[in-house]
Amino acid sequence: MDPRRNPSIAEWFHEETKYSPQSMGLLPRPDVDQRPLPYKEWHASEPVDLVPYLPFPGFPLGPSEDQRPLDSALLSEFVGALSRILYFTGGVTGIQQSPEESWLFRAAPSAGALYPTDITLALRGIRGIEDGLHAYSVPNHQLVSVLEGDFLPGIASSFWDHPSFDGVQAVVLLSGVWQRSRWRYHDRAYRRILLDTGHVLGNLVHAAQQEGLQAIPLAGFDDPALQKLMFLDSEQEGVLVGVPLRRADDVSTAADGLVAAVKRSSRSTAPPDFETDPILAIHESSSMIHDAEVALPPDPPTWAEGAADARVVPLVETLGDISNEFPRIVVRRRSTRQFTGASVNRRDLDRVLDFAHRYATPGPVRYLSARPALQIHLVVNRVKGLEPGVWRYLPDEHQLRLIRSGDERRRVHGACLGQELARDAACLVVYSADLPHAVEVWGDRAYRYLHLDAGFLGQQLNLACIHQELGVSGVAGFFDDTWNEILELPADHAITYITAIGDPFASE
Ligand SMILES: Cc1cc2nc3c(=O)[nH]c(=O)nc-3n(C[C@H](O)[C@H](O)[C@H](O)COP(=O)(O)O)c2cc1C
């Protein structure tokens, strides 16, 4: 950090939560007896049973004996769409049974399989279901009424009456439960909660599209108002994204209005006092208030373009639309635990990069909050037709620019805490950002946007890799400063997320 200026809390938090070879040994081991449940346990005598609407039979956990689900004959057809959207966004897609307990794996990956992201629906005017807030009960795939009443006007108001709320019947609210991830990852959990939530969002946009709906993710809102409305205790959990679901044929370009005026949170200057919990400090300092300041839209990125004679490789293959296959990809998806170390084809990589980054390019609806601020690098270990080394990917041009050639496997192995995944991957995709600059634009809120967006893109990489039959895994455990050195980035740039791509062992 530049010693001549006071760092914002976003920069302070990032610095505080960096892993380094010295700090790693100091982190306490998680207490296995205190491991939090990866979902809230909801019980309702009359839940909405969502299982019958799934496109396959045999979901293992249905209603319990004392439950009388609402009569499906009286429910709107829209409930079927909601069932499938919830399932393919964050439902249970795998169970691992051990003699002592069973582990549930979900549609979206999650750091440490801790699943800190909860899904709540705000519903209105759906036949057979009370207007109100409904929790998604994960293990038995049910909707459980939490609060009755018409919450949509209040929710819309906390998003400054964004036009995409007009007339909607369903809004998805994604919130992070701090302790679920903090239990293992301590203060750095906040980064992973944002990344995880970005992954969930990455599924949601496809799951909604499958049902003829457009998901419109909005990460800028009046936090205190929304938390109060939902009766959430900010010390425990916080809403991170709100997503109105509109009929796809009813999306106006006005829905994209948010990009015209960017609201920002404060840019705090003093670090929180010693006693303050860092997660609460960053979450609060990145909160917006009702009369949040409006900033100019961000400048285009001002990255140095590198040497004029830098080697440029235009990528050729593209991968436009995988929507027909999305449900099958999600149920088949698992993070790769081990790569063989063999190379992958550049054509596959071209397609994965194209899908992940160009899909999220501004169209009628923007999925990302801070897209121009994210820089994309590739460390190529073994890709047929591409020199090993460090590259930058320019999504608009679908082009790679060589920064430095050479075998980086030993270095990236160490920089990812000695995880063999990094060494044996064919390549690593790394997102980073000029954090001080991003904070100048969005205030401390930038910290949320940069990590949510990186998680969203990480999920697109995951989906495209599964489509191309490549192995893939997120990597959020790394030595930050070593990565700045590998990528030749200034010390104040934040490395937000890494995705490892490669040849999986056949059993994966
Ligand atoms: C944000 C994020 C960070 C992750 N970091 C790592 C990591 O550093 N090392 C690793 O082996 N797996 C990592 N994973 C993969 C998770 O361990 C995996 O998603 C989780 O165990 C659930 O399994 P599944 O993805 O196969 O459903 C990460 C996943 C996410 C979403």
Side-chain angles (χ1 to χ4, degrees), residues 93 105-115 185 191-192 195-196 199 333-337 419 421 462 473-477 497:
T93 55
F105 290 89
R106 312 262 288 265
S110 161
L114 299 171
Y115 304 105
Y185 296 120
R191 299 194 197 185
R192 288 174 165 104
L195 293 168
D196 272 12
H199 275 272
R333 186 207 64 73
R334 286 275 79 87
S335 300
T336 298
R337 299 273 150 237
Q419 298 189 70
L421 268 181
N462 267 256
S473 175
V475 178
Y497 196 26

PDB file of all heavy atoms in Angstrom, residues 93 105-115 185 191-192 195-196 199 333-337 419 421 462 473-477 497, ligand 1:
ATOM      1  N   THR A  93     -26.963 -31.629  -5.459  1.00  0.00           N
ATOM      2  CA  THR A  93     -26.707 -32.431  -6.665  1.00  0.00           C
ATOM      3  C   THR A  93     -25.819 -33.641  -6.369  1.00  0.00           C
ATOM      4  O   THR A  93     -25.483 -34.392  -7.278  1.00  0.00           O
ATOM      5  CB  THR A  93     -26.039 -31.574  -7.762  1.00  0.00           C
ATOM      6  OG1 THR A  93     -24.857 -30.985  -7.204  1.00  0.00           O
ATOM      7  CG2 THR A  93     -26.961 -30.489  -8.269  1.00  0.00           C
ATOM      8  N   PHE A 105     -23.594 -32.037  -1.517  1.00  0.00           N
ATOM      9  CA  PHE A 105     -22.880 -31.169  -2.463  1.00  0.00           C
ATOM     10  C   PHE A 105     -23.911 -30.485  -3.342  1.00  0.00           C
ATOM     11  O   PHE A 105     -24.979 -31.036  -3.619  1.00  0.00           O
ATOM     12  CB  PHE A 105     -21.872 -31.971  -3.276  1.00  0.00           C
ATOM     13  CG  PHE A 105     -20.716 -32.421  -2.435  1.00  0.00           C
ATOM     14  CD1 PHE A 105     -20.775 -33.625  -1.750  1.00  0.00           C
ATOM     15  CD2 PHE A 105     -19.603 -31.617  -2.287  1.00  0.00           C
ATOM     16  CE1 PHE A 105     -19.726 -34.025  -0.940  1.00  0.00           C
ATOM     17  CE2 PHE A 105     -18.549 -32.017  -1.479  1.00  0.00           C
ATOM     18  CZ  PHE A 105     -18.612 -33.225  -0.801  1.00  0.00           C
ATOM     19  N   ARG A 106     -23.572 -29.302  -3.794  1.00  0.00           N
ATOM     20  CA  ARG A 106     -24.605 -28.449  -4.373  1.00  0.00           C
ATOM     21  C   ARG A 106     -24.299 -28.059  -5.826  1.00  0.00           C
ATOM     22  O   ARG A 106     -23.210 -28.277  -6.331  1.00  0.00           O
ATOM     23  CB  ARG A 106     -24.719 -27.181  -3.511  1.00  0.00           C
ATOM     24  CG  ARG A 106     -24.804 -27.479  -2.001  1.00  0.00           C
ATOM     25  CD  ARG A 106     -26.224 -27.451  -1.515  1.00  0.00           C
ATOM     26  NE  ARG A 106     -26.686 -26.094  -1.490  1.00  0.00           N
ATOM     27  CZ  ARG A 106     -26.653 -25.312  -0.410  1.00  0.00           C
ATOM     28  NH1 ARG A 106     -26.203 -25.780   0.743  1.00  0.00           N
ATOM     29  NH2 ARG A 106     -27.104 -24.082  -0.460  1.00  0.00           N
ATOM     30  N   ALA A 107     -25.308 -27.433  -6.434  1.00  0.00           N
ATOM     31  CA  ALA A 107     -25.213 -27.053  -7.845  1.00  0.00           C
ATOM     32  C   ALA A 107     -24.053 -26.090  -8.103  1.00  0.00           C
ATOM     33  O   ALA A 107     -23.430 -26.142  -9.160  1.00  0.00           O
ATOM     34  CB  ALA A 107     -26.523 -26.422  -8.295  1.00  0.00           C
ATOM     35  N   ALA A 108     -23.785 -25.210  -7.160  1.00  0.00           N
ATOM     36  CA  ALA A 108     -22.654 -24.280  -7.319  1.00  0.00           C
ATOM     37  C   ALA A 108     -21.544 -24.713  -6.374  1.00  0.00           C
ATOM     38  O   ALA A 108     -21.819 -25.136  -5.250  1.00  0.00           O
ATOM     39  CB  ALA A 108     -23.093 -22.854  -7.001  1.00  0.00           C
ATOM     40  N   PRO A 109     -20.293 -24.609  -6.818  1.00  0.00           N
ATOM     41  CA  PRO A 109     -19.201 -24.970  -5.909  1.00  0.00           C
ATOM     42  C   PRO A 109     -19.107 -23.982  -4.755  1.00  0.00           C
ATOM     43  O   PRO A 109     -19.660 -22.875  -4.829  1.00  0.00           O
ATOM     44  CB  PRO A 109     -17.963 -24.880  -6.802  1.00  0.00           C
ATOM     45  CG  PRO A 109     -18.332 -23.978  -7.913  1.00  0.00           C
ATOM     46  CD  PRO A 109     -19.813 -24.095  -8.105  1.00  0.00           C
ATOM     47  N   SER A 110     -18.427 -24.380  -3.717  1.00  0.00           N
ATOM     48  CA  SER A 110     -18.269 -23.491  -2.566  1.00  0.00           C
ATOM     49  C   SER A 110     -16.943 -23.791  -1.892  1.00  0.00           C
ATOM     50  O   SER A 110     -16.596 -24.964  -1.684  1.00  0.00           O
ATOM     51  CB  SER A 110     -19.423 -23.735  -1.586  1.00  0.00           C
ATOM     52  OG  SER A 110     -19.085 -23.247  -0.308  1.00  0.00           O
ATOM     53  N   ALA A 111     -16.205 -22.742  -1.547  1.00  0.00           N
ATOM     54  CA  ALA A 111     -14.903 -22.925  -0.901  1.00  0.00           C
ATOM     55  C   ALA A 111     -15.084 -23.776   0.357  1.00  0.00           C
ATOM     56  O   ALA A 111     -15.875 -23.433   1.237  1.00  0.00           O
ATOM     57  CB  ALA A 111     -14.307 -21.570  -0.543  1.00  0.00           C
ATOM     58  N   GLY A 112     -14.383 -24.900   0.406  1.00  0.00           N
ATOM     59  CA  GLY A 112     -14.463 -25.779   1.574  1.00  0.00           C
ATOM     60  C   GLY A 112     -15.806 -26.468   1.729  1.00  0.00           C
ATOM     61  O   GLY A 112     -16.081 -27.052   2.771  1.00  0.00           O
ATOM     62  N   ALA A 113     -16.669 -26.413   0.726  1.00  0.00           N
ATOM     63  CA  ALA A 113     -18.023 -26.977   0.780  1.00  0.00           C
ATOM     64  C   ALA A 113     -18.763 -26.497   2.031  1.00  0.00           C
ATOM     65  O   ALA A 113     -19.445 -27.260   2.714  1.00  0.00           O
ATOM     66  CB  ALA A 113     -17.976 -28.509   0.716  1.00  0.00           C
ATOM     67  N   LEU A 114     -18.641 -25.202   2.306  1.00  0.00           N
ATOM     68  CA  LEU A 114     -19.287 -24.645   3.512  1.00  0.00           C
ATOM     69  C   LEU A 114     -20.608 -23.938   3.192  1.00  0.00           C
ATOM     70  O   LEU A 114     -21.390 -23.655   4.078  1.00  0.00           O
ATOM     71  CB  LEU A 114     -18.326 -23.670   4.204  1.00  0.00           C
ATOM     72  CG  LEU A 114     -17.021 -24.331   4.672  1.00  0.00           C
ATOM     73  CD1 LEU A 114     -16.020 -23.281   5.139  1.00  0.00           C
ATOM     74  CD2 LEU A 114     -17.291 -25.329   5.788  1.00  0.00           C
ATOM     75  N   TYR A 115     -20.828 -23.614   1.959  1.00  0.00           N
ATOM     76  CA  TYR A 115     -22.102 -23.080   1.439  1.00  0.00           C
ATOM     77  C   TYR A 115     -22.672 -21.930   2.281  1.00  0.00           C
ATOM     78  O   TYR A 115     -23.760 -22.045   2.846  1.00  0.00           O
ATOM     79  CB  TYR A 115     -23.118 -24.226   1.289  1.00  0.00           C
ATOM     80  CG  TYR A 115     -22.594 -25.327   0.424  1.00  0.00           C
ATOM     81  CD1 TYR A 115     -22.166 -26.534   0.968  1.00  0.00           C
ATOM     82  CD2 TYR A 115     -22.447 -25.146  -0.949  1.00  0.00           C
ATOM     83  CE1 TYR A 115     -21.627 -27.543   0.170  1.00  0.00           C
ATOM     84  CE2 TYR A 115     -21.910 -26.152  -1.755  1.00  0.00           C
ATOM     85  CZ  TYR A 115     -21.512 -27.336  -1.188  1.00  0.00           C
ATOM     86  OH  TYR A 115     -20.975 -28.320  -1.975  1.00  0.00           O
ATOM     87  N   TYR A 185     -12.197 -20.278   7.623  1.00  0.00           N
ATOM     88  CA  TYR A 185     -11.294 -19.363   6.918  1.00  0.00           C
ATOM     89  C   TYR A 185     -11.044 -18.054   7.654  1.00  0.00           C
ATOM     90  O   TYR A 185     -10.429 -17.151   7.104  1.00  0.00           O
ATOM     91  CB  TYR A 185     -11.840 -19.077   5.513  1.00  0.00           C
ATOM     92  CG  TYR A 185     -11.874 -20.311   4.642  1.00  0.00           C
ATOM     93  CD1 TYR A 185     -13.064 -20.779   4.111  1.00  0.00           C
ATOM     94  CD2 TYR A 185     -10.707 -21.019   4.370  1.00  0.00           C
ATOM     95  CE1 TYR A 185     -13.100 -21.915   3.307  1.00  0.00           C
ATOM     96  CE2 TYR A 185     -10.723 -22.155   3.581  1.00  0.00           C
ATOM     97  CZ  TYR A 185     -11.927 -22.599   3.055  1.00  0.00           C
ATOM     98  OH  TYR A 185     -11.961 -23.722   2.264  1.00  0.00           O
ATOM     99  N   ARG A 191     -13.978 -12.809   1.734  1.00  0.00           N
ATOM    100  CA  ARG A 191     -13.649 -12.911   0.299  1.00  0.00           C
ATOM    101  C   ARG A 191     -14.332 -14.130  -0.302  1.00  0.00           C
ATOM    102  O   ARG A 191     -14.903 -14.081  -1.387  1.00  0.00           O
ATOM    103  CB  ARG A 191     -12.140 -13.110   0.110  1.00  0.00           C
ATOM    104  CG  ARG A 191     -11.252 -12.020   0.634  1.00  0.00           C
ATOM    105  CD  ARG A 191      -9.890 -12.271   0.015  1.00  0.00           C
ATOM    106  NE  ARG A 191      -8.794 -11.578   0.661  1.00  0.00           N
ATOM    107  CZ  ARG A 191      -7.552 -11.595   0.198  1.00  0.00           C
ATOM    108  NH1 ARG A 191      -7.257 -12.290  -0.892  1.00  0.00           N
ATOM    109  NH2 ARG A 191      -6.590 -10.954   0.807  1.00  0.00           N
ATOM    110  N   ARG A 192     -14.240 -15.253   0.414  1.00  0.00           N
ATOM    111  CA  ARG A 192     -14.793 -16.493  -0.152  1.00  0.00           C
ATOM    112  C   ARG A 192     -16.314 -16.458  -0.196  1.00  0.00           C
ATOM    113  O   ARG A 192     -16.934 -17.037  -1.092  1.00  0.00           O
ATOM    114  CB  ARG A 192     -14.299 -17.686   0.643  1.00  0.00           C
ATOM    115  CG  ARG A 192     -12.813 -17.981   0.394  1.00  0.00           C
ATOM    116  CD  ARG A 192     -12.368 -19.063   1.317  1.00  0.00           C
ATOM    117  NE  ARG A 192     -11.095 -19.658   0.959  1.00  0.00           N
ATOM    118  CZ  ARG A 192      -9.959 -19.398   1.581  1.00  0.00           C
ATOM    119  NH1 ARG A 192      -9.917 -18.499   2.549  1.00  0.00           N
ATOM    120  NH2 ARG A 192      -8.846 -20.017   1.240  1.00  0.00           N
ATOM    121  N   LEU A 195     -17.108 -14.636  -3.306  1.00  0.00           N
ATOM    122  CA  LEU A 195     -16.820 -15.483  -4.482  1.00  0.00           C
ATOM    123  C   LEU A 195     -17.877 -16.569  -4.627  1.00  0.00           C
ATOM    124  O   LEU A 195     -18.409 -16.803  -5.714  1.00  0.00           O
ATOM    125  CB  LEU A 195     -15.439 -16.125  -4.344  1.00  0.00           C
ATOM    126  CG  LEU A 195     -14.229 -15.184  -4.386  1.00  0.00           C
ATOM    127  CD1 LEU A 195     -12.953 -15.909  -3.949  1.00  0.00           C
ATOM    128  CD2 LEU A 195     -14.046 -14.601  -5.794  1.00  0.00           C
ATOM    129  N   ASP A 196     -18.192 -17.234  -3.510  1.00  0.00           N
ATOM    130  CA  ASP A 196     -19.219 -18.286  -3.543  1.00  0.00           C
ATOM    131  C   ASP A 196     -20.549 -17.734  -4.053  1.00  0.00           C
ATOM    132  O   ASP A 196     -21.232 -18.365  -4.864  1.00  0.00           O
ATOM    133  CB  ASP A 196     -19.468 -18.821  -2.124  1.00  0.00           C
ATOM    134  CG  ASP A 196     -18.524 -19.954  -1.758  1.00  0.00           C
ATOM    135  OD1 ASP A 196     -17.551 -20.185  -2.473  1.00  0.00           O
ATOM    136  OD2 ASP A 196     -18.801 -20.613  -0.729  1.00  0.00           O
ATOM    137  N   HIS A 199     -20.607 -17.356  -7.649  1.00  0.00           N
ATOM    138  CA  HIS A 199     -20.829 -18.641  -8.328  1.00  0.00           C
ATOM    139  C   HIS A 199     -22.325 -18.971  -8.371  1.00  0.00           C
ATOM    140  O   HIS A 199     -22.840 -19.424  -9.401  1.00  0.00           O
ATOM    141  CB  HIS A 199     -20.099 -19.769  -7.593  1.00  0.00           C
ATOM    142  CG  HIS A 199     -18.657 -19.926  -7.982  1.00  0.00           C
ATOM    143  ND1 HIS A 199     -18.263 -20.718  -9.028  1.00  0.00           N
ATOM    144  CD2 HIS A 199     -17.525 -19.402  -7.460  1.00  0.00           C
ATOM    145  CE1 HIS A 199     -16.931 -20.685  -9.132  1.00  0.00           C
ATOM    146  NE2 HIS A 199     -16.462 -19.884  -8.190  1.00  0.00           N
ATOM    147  N   ARG A 333     -21.588 -31.485 -12.750  1.00  0.00           N
ATOM    148  CA  ARG A 333     -20.435 -30.719 -12.326  1.00  0.00           C
ATOM    149  C   ARG A 333     -19.875 -31.151 -10.970  1.00  0.00           C
ATOM    150  O   ARG A 333     -20.615 -31.369 -10.034  1.00  0.00           O
ATOM    151  CB  ARG A 333     -20.881 -29.247 -12.195  1.00  0.00           C
ATOM    152  CG  ARG A 333     -19.804 -28.270 -11.891  1.00  0.00           C
ATOM    153  CD  ARG A 333     -20.331 -27.051 -11.163  1.00  0.00           C
ATOM    154  NE  ARG A 333     -20.863 -27.352  -9.852  1.00  0.00           N
ATOM    155  CZ  ARG A 333     -20.126 -27.655  -8.792  1.00  0.00           C
ATOM    156  NH1 ARG A 333     -18.812 -27.678  -8.876  1.00  0.00           N
ATOM    157  NH2 ARG A 333     -20.705 -27.923  -7.636  1.00  0.00           N
ATOM    158  N   ARG A 334     -18.592 -31.339 -10.877  1.00  0.00           N
ATOM    159  CA  ARG A 334     -17.892 -31.460  -9.591  1.00  0.00           C
ATOM    160  C   ARG A 334     -16.540 -30.808  -9.776  1.00  0.00           C
ATOM    161  O   ARG A 334     -15.976 -30.820 -10.872  1.00  0.00           O
ATOM    162  CB  ARG A 334     -17.657 -32.921  -9.166  1.00  0.00           C
ATOM    163  CG  ARG A 334     -18.870 -33.692  -8.668  1.00  0.00           C
ATOM    164  CD  ARG A 334     -19.212 -33.509  -7.175  1.00  0.00           C
ATOM    165  NE  ARG A 334     -19.906 -32.278  -6.849  1.00  0.00           N
ATOM    166  CZ  ARG A 334     -21.243 -32.079  -6.887  1.00  0.00           C
ATOM    167  NH1 ARG A 334     -22.045 -33.031  -7.255  1.00  0.00           N
ATOM    168  NH2 ARG A 334     -21.754 -30.916  -6.544  1.00  0.00           N
ATOM    169  N   SER A 335     -16.016 -30.223  -8.717  1.00  0.00           N
ATOM    170  CA  SER A 335     -14.685 -29.625  -8.824  1.00  0.00           C
ATOM    171  C   SER A 335     -13.644 -30.725  -8.922  1.00  0.00           C
ATOM    172  O   SER A 335     -13.732 -31.727  -8.210  1.00  0.00           O
ATOM    173  CB  SER A 335     -14.397 -28.759  -7.600  1.00  0.00           C
ATOM    174  OG  SER A 335     -15.342 -27.725  -7.506  1.00  0.00           O
ATOM    175  N   THR A 336     -12.673 -30.502  -9.785  1.00  0.00           N
ATOM    176  CA  THR A 336     -11.608 -31.494  -9.958  1.00  0.00           C
ATOM    177  C   THR A 336     -10.698 -31.478  -8.736  1.00  0.00           C
ATOM    178  O   THR A 336     -10.305 -30.414  -8.260  1.00  0.00           O
ATOM    179  CB  THR A 336     -10.803 -31.158 -11.229  1.00  0.00           C
ATOM    180  OG1 THR A 336     -11.706 -31.239 -12.336  1.00  0.00           O
ATOM    181  CG2 THR A 336      -9.653 -32.119 -11.437  1.00  0.00           C
ATOM    182  N   ARG A 337     -10.424 -32.636  -8.229  1.00  0.00           N
ATOM    183  CA  ARG A 337      -9.555 -32.753  -7.039  1.00  0.00           C
ATOM    184  C   ARG A 337      -8.093 -32.920  -7.441  1.00  0.00           C
ATOM    185  O   ARG A 337      -7.191 -32.555  -6.701  1.00  0.00           O
ATOM    186  CB  ARG A 337      -9.985 -33.952  -6.198  1.00  0.00           C
ATOM    187  CG  ARG A 337     -11.390 -33.830  -5.695  1.00  0.00           C
ATOM    188  CD  ARG A 337     -11.396 -33.065  -4.367  1.00  0.00           C
ATOM    189  NE  ARG A 337     -12.632 -32.333  -4.203  1.00  0.00           N
ATOM    190  CZ  ARG A 337     -12.714 -31.026  -4.003  1.00  0.00           C
ATOM    191  NH1 ARG A 337     -11.648 -30.287  -3.963  1.00  0.00           N
ATOM    192  NH2 ARG A 337     -13.876 -30.441  -3.840  1.00  0.00           N
ATOM    193  N   GLN A 419      -0.707 -26.377  -3.220  1.00  0.00           N
ATOM    194  CA  GLN A 419      -1.778 -27.243  -3.742  1.00  0.00           C
ATOM    195  C   GLN A 419      -1.338 -27.816  -5.091  1.00  0.00           C
ATOM    196  O   GLN A 419      -1.011 -27.068  -6.021  1.00  0.00           O
ATOM    197  CB  GLN A 419      -3.074 -26.464  -3.915  1.00  0.00           C
ATOM    198  CG  GLN A 419      -3.627 -25.905  -2.610  1.00  0.00           C
ATOM    199  CD  GLN A 419      -5.029 -25.337  -2.800  1.00  0.00           C
ATOM    200  OE1 GLN A 419      -5.981 -26.064  -3.009  1.00  0.00           O
ATOM    201  NE2 GLN A 419      -5.148 -24.025  -2.708  1.00  0.00           N
ATOM    202  N   LEU A 421      -3.035 -29.101  -7.323  1.00  0.00           N
ATOM    203  CA  LEU A 421      -3.945 -28.662  -8.387  1.00  0.00           C
ATOM    204  C   LEU A 421      -3.302 -27.587  -9.259  1.00  0.00           C
ATOM    205  O   LEU A 421      -3.428 -27.614 -10.486  1.00  0.00           O
ATOM    206  CB  LEU A 421      -5.172 -28.005  -7.757  1.00  0.00           C
ATOM    207  CG  LEU A 421      -6.432 -28.773  -7.429  1.00  0.00           C
ATOM    208  CD1 LEU A 421      -7.452 -27.815  -6.850  1.00  0.00           C
ATOM    209  CD2 LEU A 421      -6.995 -29.434  -8.678  1.00  0.00           C
ATOM    210  N   ASN A 462     -16.297 -22.539 -14.965  1.00  0.00           N
ATOM    211  CA  ASN A 462     -16.650 -23.914 -14.554  1.00  0.00           C
ATOM    212  C   ASN A 462     -17.608 -24.552 -15.542  1.00  0.00           C
ATOM    213  O   ASN A 462     -17.394 -25.677 -15.994  1.00  0.00           O
ATOM    214  CB  ASN A 462     -17.325 -23.893 -13.169  1.00  0.00           C
ATOM    215  CG  ASN A 462     -16.350 -24.086 -12.030  1.00  0.00           C
ATOM    216  OD1 ASN A 462     -16.277 -25.162 -11.449  1.00  0.00           O
ATOM    217  ND2 ASN A 462     -15.575 -23.058 -11.720  1.00  0.00           N
ATOM    218  N   SER A 473     -11.359 -26.268 -11.159  1.00  0.00           N
ATOM    219  CA  SER A 473     -11.614 -26.008  -9.733  1.00  0.00           C
ATOM    220  C   SER A 473     -11.265 -24.563  -9.406  1.00  0.00           C
ATOM    221  O   SER A 473     -10.275 -24.030  -9.902  1.00  0.00           O
ATOM    222  CB  SER A 473     -10.757 -26.920  -8.851  1.00  0.00           C
ATOM    223  OG  SER A 473     -10.946 -26.572  -7.488  1.00  0.00           O
ATOM    224  N   GLY A 474     -12.070 -23.963  -8.546  1.00  0.00           N
ATOM    225  CA  GLY A 474     -11.730 -22.655  -7.986  1.00  0.00           C
ATOM    226  C   GLY A 474     -10.563 -22.825  -7.024  1.00  0.00           C
ATOM    227  O   GLY A 474     -10.411 -23.875  -6.409  1.00  0.00           O
ATOM    228  N   VAL A 475      -9.764 -21.777  -6.882  1.00  0.00           N
ATOM    229  CA  VAL A 475      -8.670 -21.776  -5.899  1.00  0.00           C
ATOM    230  C   VAL A 475      -8.673 -20.404  -5.222  1.00  0.00           C
ATOM    231  O   VAL A 475      -8.349 -19.398  -5.844  1.00  0.00           O
ATOM    232  CB  VAL A 475      -7.292 -22.023  -6.579  1.00  0.00           C
ATOM    233  CG1 VAL A 475      -6.174 -21.961  -5.543  1.00  0.00           C
ATOM    234  CG2 VAL A 475      -7.269 -23.366  -7.305  1.00  0.00           C
ATOM    235  N   ALA A 476      -9.083 -20.385  -3.957  1.00  0.00           N
ATOM    236  CA  ALA A 476      -9.108 -19.101  -3.242  1.00  0.00           C
ATOM    237  C   ALA A 476      -8.024 -19.032  -2.170  1.00  0.00           C
ATOM    238  O   ALA A 476      -7.876 -18.027  -1.498  1.00  0.00           O
ATOM    239  CB  ALA A 476     -10.484 -18.872  -2.616  1.00  0.00           C
ATOM    240  N   GLY A 477      -7.281 -20.142  -2.024  1.00  0.00           N
ATOM    241  CA  GLY A 477      -6.188 -20.141  -1.051  1.00  0.00           C
ATOM    242  C   GLY A 477      -4.874 -19.925  -1.779  1.00  0.00           C
ATOM    243  O   GLY A 477      -4.424 -20.792  -2.532  1.00  0.00           O
ATOM    244  N   TYR A 497      -9.166 -13.916  -7.436  1.00  0.00           N
ATOM    245  CA  TYR A 497      -9.603 -15.314  -7.579  1.00  0.00           C
ATOM    246  C   TYR A 497      -8.781 -16.017  -8.648  1.00  0.00           C
ATOM    247  O   TYR A 497      -8.335 -15.392  -9.614  1.00  0.00           O
ATOM    248  CB  TYR A 497     -11.080 -15.332  -7.997  1.00  0.00           C
ATOM    249  CG  TYR A 497     -11.792 -16.662  -7.835  1.00  0.00           C
ATOM    250  CD1 TYR A 497     -11.383 -17.609  -6.902  1.00  0.00           C
ATOM    251  CD2 TYR A 497     -12.908 -16.962  -8.618  1.00  0.00           C
ATOM    252  CE1 TYR A 497     -12.066 -18.806  -6.751  1.00  0.00           C
ATOM    253  CE2 TYR A 497     -13.599 -18.159  -8.466  1.00  0.00           C
ATOM    254  CZ  TYR A 497     -13.159 -19.078  -7.531  1.00  0.00           C
ATOM    255  OH  TYR A 497     -13.838 -20.264  -7.380  1.00  0.00           O
TER     256      TYR A 497
HETATM  257  C1  LIG B   1     -14.545 -19.656  -4.069  1.00  0.00           C
HETATM  258  C2  LIG B   1     -14.026 -21.071  -4.124  1.00  0.00           C
HETATM  259  C3  LIG B   1     -12.736 -21.336  -3.709  1.00  0.00           C
HETATM  260  C4  LIG B   1     -12.232 -22.642  -3.767  1.00  0.00           C
HETATM  261  N1  LIG B   1     -10.944 -22.849  -3.394  1.00  0.00           N
HETATM  262  C5  LIG B   1     -10.428 -24.105  -3.494  1.00  0.00           C
HETATM  263  C6  LIG B   1      -9.049 -24.341  -3.200  1.00  0.00           C
HETATM  264  O1  LIG B   1      -8.296 -23.416  -2.873  1.00  0.00           O
HETATM  265  N2  LIG B   1      -8.600 -25.621  -3.333  1.00  0.00           N
HETATM  266  C7  LIG B   1      -9.414 -26.658  -3.720  1.00  0.00           C
HETATM  267  O2  LIG B   1      -8.953 -27.796  -3.812  1.00  0.00           O
HETATM  268  N3  LIG B   1     -10.723 -26.451  -4.013  1.00  0.00           N
HETATM  269  C8  LIG B   1     -11.243 -25.207  -3.921  1.00  0.00           C
HETATM  270  N4  LIG B   1     -12.558 -24.988  -4.254  1.00  0.00           N
HETATM  271  C9  LIG B   1     -13.432 -26.115  -4.642  1.00  0.00           C
HETATM  272  C10 LIG B   1     -14.293 -26.554  -3.461  1.00  0.00           C
HETATM  273  O3  LIG B   1     -13.521 -27.292  -2.551  1.00  0.00           O
HETATM  274  C11 LIG B   1     -15.506 -27.364  -3.949  1.00  0.00           C
HETATM  275  O4  LIG B   1     -16.336 -26.508  -4.684  1.00  0.00           O
HETATM  276  C12 LIG B   1     -16.303 -27.936  -2.806  1.00  0.00           C
HETATM  277  O5  LIG B   1     -15.595 -28.936  -2.135  1.00  0.00           O
HETATM  278  C13 LIG B   1     -17.621 -28.527  -3.292  1.00  0.00           C
HETATM  279  O6  LIG B   1     -17.414 -29.547  -4.229  1.00  0.00           O
HETATM  280  P1  LIG B   1     -17.965 -29.497  -5.712  1.00  0.00           P
HETATM  281  O7  LIG B   1     -17.507 -28.226  -6.325  1.00  0.00           O
HETATM  282  O8  LIG B   1     -17.390 -30.710  -6.366  1.00  0.00           O
HETATM  283  O9  LIG B   1     -19.446 -29.550  -5.646  1.00  0.00           O
HETATM  284  C14 LIG B   1     -13.059 -23.699  -4.221  1.00  0.00           C
HETATM  285  C15 LIG B   1     -14.360 -23.415  -4.643  1.00  0.00           C
HETATM  286  C16 LIG B   1     -14.836 -22.113  -4.614  1.00  0.00           C
HETATM  287  C17 LIG B   1     -16.214 -21.814  -5.102  1.00  0.00           C
END
